[in-house]
Amino acid sequence: MGRIIKQGKIVLVLNGRHAGKKAVIISNQDEGTGDRLYGHALVVGIERYPKPITKSMGKKKQNKRNKLKPFVKVYNCNHLLPTRYILDLQVDKDLINKNSI
């Protein structure tokens, strides 16, 4: 069977603080590494989505409600549910390493 969880795949986080949130896989290790013996993936997602805006709101309130909060985390592959969608993104391999997390 081929790899389902690969770079650029849109996933849903199933467990933890970000359960139910959408995320994108940046890099993955199917076999695991020395410090994490299980298959894991580095994901980036949206922790807090923007709130709805109406016409009657002022500019200050619109700007405040329009903010979003991202998250970057390493997850066990068992805690990710892959979707059928793939995001085309170019990732610099020098920026993504164990020390950057």
Side-chain angles (χ1 to χ4, degrees):
M1 188 169 141
R3 287 186 350 184
I4 295 175
I5 297 184
K6 52 188 169 185
Q7 182 178 345
K9 189 74 137 171
I10 306 292
V11 295
L12 293 175
V13 180
L14 299 177
N15 290 5
R17 179 192 310 184
H18 306 296
K21 303 293 184 185
K22 297 174 195 78
V24 179
I25 294 180
I26 301 299
S27 68
N28 67 321
Q29 293 287 331
D30 289 331
E31 303 301 321
T33 59
D35 55 344
R36 290 185 169 96
L37 302 176
Y38 49 86
H40 56 278
L42 173 67
V43 299
V44 175
I46 300 175
E47 184 173 342
R48 190 180 321 125
Y49 293 94
K51 296 179 180 177
I53 296 174
T54 62
K55 280 188 194 177
S56 61
M57 293 180 188
K59 288 284 184 186
K60 186 176 178 183
K61 189 162 188 175
Q62 284 182 2
N63 289 339
K64 191 171 185 180
R65 292 174 69 95
N66 206 12
K67 294 180 181 172
L68 59 91
K69 184 178 178 184
F71 68 88
V72 178
K73 193 160 168 59
V74 176
Y75 274 105
N76 187 336
C77 289
N78 293 335
H79 300 157
L80 300 174
L81 178 71
T83 63
R84 63 182 178 167
Y85 301 105
I86 296 175
L87 184 65
D88 294 330
L89 51 107
Q90 312 306 325
V91 179
D92 187 12
K93 296 292 183 182
D94 296 335
L95 295 175
I96 299 172
N97 56 28
K98 195 159 79 170
N99 299 330
S100 65
I101 300 173

